[in-house]
Amino acid sequence: MRENKKLKKFGSLLVASSLLAGVLAGCGNGDSSSSGGGSSSGGGSSDGDTIKIGANLELSGNVASYGSSIALGAELAVKEINDKGGIDGKKIELIKVDNKSENAEATTAAIKLATQDKVVAMLAPATSGNTVATVQIANDNKIPIVTGSGTAPNITVNDDGSVNEYAFRTCFIDPFQGIVAANFASGELKAKNVAIFADNASDYAKGLAKSFKETITKNGGKVVEEEAYVAKDADFRTQLTTIKAAKPDFIFIPGYYEEVGLIVKQAREMGIDVPLMGADGWDSPTLVELAGADALNNTYITNHYSAEDPDQKIQDFVKAFKAANKDKAPDAFNALGYDTIYYIADAIKRAGSTDGEAIQKALADTKDLSLVTGTFSVDKDHNPIKTATVLEFKDGKQVFNSKVNP
């Protein structure tokens, strides 16, 4: 998921952790909801009858839609677990901190949760860049972090191939989405000549574009045009004119709803009526507001789940979420937030401890855990092996199309 364009290297975070820990003693830029505990030597600590889990999320700023949705799902999971007696009789206390959709704020929030609130684990930010900004804090303090929607591979694995021991995720990674999209385009839509229109300042979009291009080419397709844009652009007609002239029968647009909504709208206004496809970065109600329901017809996304999937576990979740949120159907970010809490809670229970090192090992050893977004096991790189879902937009609504196995 989205990465901001600041602070891409975090080699100095250990020093920052030490300097900021004292400053943050009076920082209270989050809200919390209570329940759970024990004691911990590695990582955070829990007190009395509560187990503290942090939530470092984008509750305001550019991508507040993502973080707020994850928070709603997480809160439902916490309530369900606590209503059933908690973890070994101890209730979960979810401590939320708003990272304001910024890398620097995400780092500050992680330090606060680790050093002041003494959490035993954290829901990491929704976006890849904000999550990367917290990885060193997690490793240094031996506090596991789990992102629900940070899909960039470098969250869990560094460029040199080393694994970030305390970083995990409940979503699949970017390359997998690109592969799924390409297979869907060539298999289901019979696309032969495709165009790619990607945000060239975004590692998320570039990763998706790369894996899509490699897979569509292997499938016998041809990339007839590649164009680029950057975040905050508002007029895409020049690039779309070039794409239209290449006469593609399919366009892949990896990016985020803020720009994608305008791209889809302008493409349809220019008479580009071929299928358009993206990934989970499209998943926001704001997309429909920006693009318009009609313009989104004949568009598709890869995503983590569908509320229309008939699977009983999914439908039970949908029913519970609607009951708690004024009949609002849960989106993928709601589901991922929900699953992330259950993943962490399952690890704490199996660890039999709130020690950070014990929780980390249990998270890494997870196998065949049944969650709403799929049954998954964790691979050696701390990524879940799970299914992906393809959704289609029809009159502004996301409709379940199919599931794709890894």
Side-chain angles (χ1 to χ4, degrees):
M1 195 46 59
R2 180 191 291 272
E3 61 289 319
N4 295 331
K5 282 50 176 189
K6 297 181 278 186
L7 300 178
K8 288 198 171 181
K9 299 296 182 183
F10 299 96
S12 61
L13 282 179
L14 179 57
V15 175
S17 299
S18 300
L19 292 174
L20 286 173
V23 175
L24 289 170
C27 178
N29 61 330
D31 53 50
S32 62
S33 53
S34 207
S35 318
S39 65
S40 173
S41 57
S45 63
S46 297
D47 302 309
D49 295 323
T50 62
I51 296 174
K52 295 179 180 179
I53 296 176
N56 181 350
L57 296 170
E58 297 82 346
L59 303 178
S60 65
N62 292 340
V63 289
S65 173
Y66 298 147
S68 298
S69 289
I70 285 176
L72 286 176
E75 287 164 350
L76 175 61
V78 168
K79 182 179 186 304
E80 288 181 353
I81 293 168
N82 287 342
D83 286 349
K84 293 175 182 176
I87 302 172
D88 294 331
K90 299 181 181 189
K91 301 296 181 69
I92 297 172
E93 179 184 355
L94 187 66
I95 302 176
K96 296 185 296 181
V97 181
D98 180 12
N99 63 40
K100 303 176 184 177
S101 301
E102 297 177 7
N103 289 163
E105 291 288 344
T107 303
T108 300
I111 295 170
K112 174 187 181 295
L113 289 167
T115 63
Q116 179 179 330
D117 297 308
K118 303 291 185 181
V119 300
V120 303
M122 299 184 210
L123 274 74
T127 67
S128 292
N130 289 341
T131 300
V132 170
T134 72
V135 170
Q136 194 63 51
I137 308 299
N139 288 337
D140 290 345
N141 290 278
K142 297 184 177 181
I143 298 175
I145 60 171
V146 185
T147 177
S149 54
T151 51
N154 68 333
I155 289 171
T156 55
V157 180
N158 298 307
D159 291 341
D160 63 3
S162 61
V163 176
N164 287 312
E165 292 300 324
Y166 284 82
F168 297 85
R169 70 180 102 225
T170 48
C171 55
F172 39 67
I173 60 175
D174 293 338
F176 182 58
Q177 292 196 83
I179 293 167
V180 169
N183 287 338
F184 181 80
S186 58
E188 298 299 318
L189 302 180
K190 309 302 179 186
K192 298 293 184 183
N193 299 305
V194 308
I196 300 172
F197 190 19
D199 179 350
N200 70 353
S202 159
D203 288 343
Y204 165 75
K206 288 189 291 186
L208 282 163
K210 181 176 184 291
S211 60
F212 174 86
K213 183 178 180 179
E214 290 172 351
T215 305
I216 201 77
T217 302
K218 287 179 183 176
N219 291 347
K222 181 181 179 182
V223 178
V224 297
E225 188 61 52
E226 290 184 72
E227 289 291 322
Y229 67 91
V230 296
K232 305 305 178 187
D233 282 353
D235 188 345
F236 306 92
R237 292 176 180 83
T238 298
Q239 300 99 312
L240 289 170
T241 297
T242 303
I243 290 172
K244 184 178 181 181
K247 298 182 179 179
D249 52 26
F250 174 94
I251 304 173
F252 185 54
I253 312 173
Y256 301 99
Y257 64 89
E258 297 155 294
E259 292 81 29
V260 168
L262 298 176
I263 290 171
V264 172
K265 177 180 173 63
Q266 291 168 23
R268 297 312 195 205
E269 288 173 347
M270 294 171 61
I272 299 174
D273 58 4
V274 301
L276 311 176
M277 190 168 188
D280 58 345
W282 286 35
D283 190 20
S284 170
T286 306
L287 177 72
V288 182
E289 297 172 13
L290 292 170
D294 289 343
L296 281 167
N297 285 331
N298 200 25
T299 69
Y300 305 83
I301 61 172
T302 54
N303 214 333
H304 306 269
Y305 114 117
S306 168
E308 295 187 346
D309 190 319
D311 182 275
Q312 190 59 53
K313 189 174 188 70
I314 291 175
Q315 289 310 309
D316 288 345
F317 163 68
V318 171
K319 182 178 179 182
F321 187 89
K322 284 185 172 182
N325 293 278
K326 300 179 181 178
D327 207 38
K328 175 187 177 293
D331 61 25
F333 291 91
N334 298 140
L336 288 164
Y338 181 87
D339 278 357
T340 301
I341 287 292
Y342 271 101
Y343 175 37
I344 293 171
D346 174 74
I348 293 172
K349 185 174 180 62
R350 284 188 290 110
S353 168
T354 55
D355 176 77
E357 294 180 74
I359 296 171
Q360 184 276 343
K361 185 177 186 304
L363 288 168
D365 290 343
T366 298
K367 185 174 177 58
D368 297 329
L369 178 63
S370 179
L371 299 172
V372 168
T373 58
T375 297
F376 79 79
S377 300
V378 177
D379 69 14
K380 63 181 179 58
D381 294 330
H382 294 182
N383 299 317
I385 303 168
K386 61 191 293 190
T387 58
T389 297
V390 174
L391 303 175
E392 179 179 359
F393 282 92
K394 291 186 177 180
D395 299 324
K397 303 293 184 183
Q398 292 184 9
V399 178
F400 176 71
N401 182 287
S402 58
K403 276 185 176 178
V404 180
N405 291 318

